[in-house]
Amino acid sequence: MTEEEFDIVIHTLQEKRDKLWRMTERNMNSEYIGFNIMDDIRLKQIRQLDNAINMWKNSRGSKQS
C-alpha cells in the first residue's frame, strides 16, 4: 500500500473491527466459554464497522471522481 492509498479512517475502523473479531473468535473456540451475549453484541458492532468502512469508501470514491 502506498502512502497515497493509506486512509487513516479505514485503518482505524479496521483495527477496531479486527480486535472485536479476535475476541469473538476466542470465545467461539473456547471449550469453557463458547458463544455468549457479548459475542452477539460484538458481531453487531462488527457489522456497524463494516457499514461505516463501506460508507467511507463510497464517499471518498465519489469525491475523487
Side-chain angles (χ1 to χ4, degrees), residues 7-64:
D7 189 313
I8 190 64
V9 173
I10 292 173
H11 177 77
T12 302
L13 293 173
Q14 188 68 48
E15 276 186 339
K16 302 302 180 192
R17 184 207 184 281
D18 293 346
K19 185 174 183 177
L20 288 170
W21 176 246
R22 283 191 302 272
M23 292 167 67
T24 302
E25 195 172 39
R26 270 195 314 266
N27 283 351
M28 289 189 303
N29 292 332
S30 170
E31 63 182 278
Y32 301 108
I33 299 173
F35 191 82
N36 62 41
I37 188 70
M38 291 305 296
D39 295 315
D40 192 42
I41 292 168
R42 281 190 284 271
L43 289 173
K44 182 178 179 182
Q45 291 172 337
I46 287 169
R47 284 191 301 276
Q48 291 171 338
L49 287 165
D50 286 341
N51 287 338
I53 290 168
N54 287 329
M55 288 172 58
W56 181 255
K57 285 179 179 178
N58 289 338
S59 74
R60 301 301 296 165
S62 63
K63 290 180 183 179
Q64 293 174 354

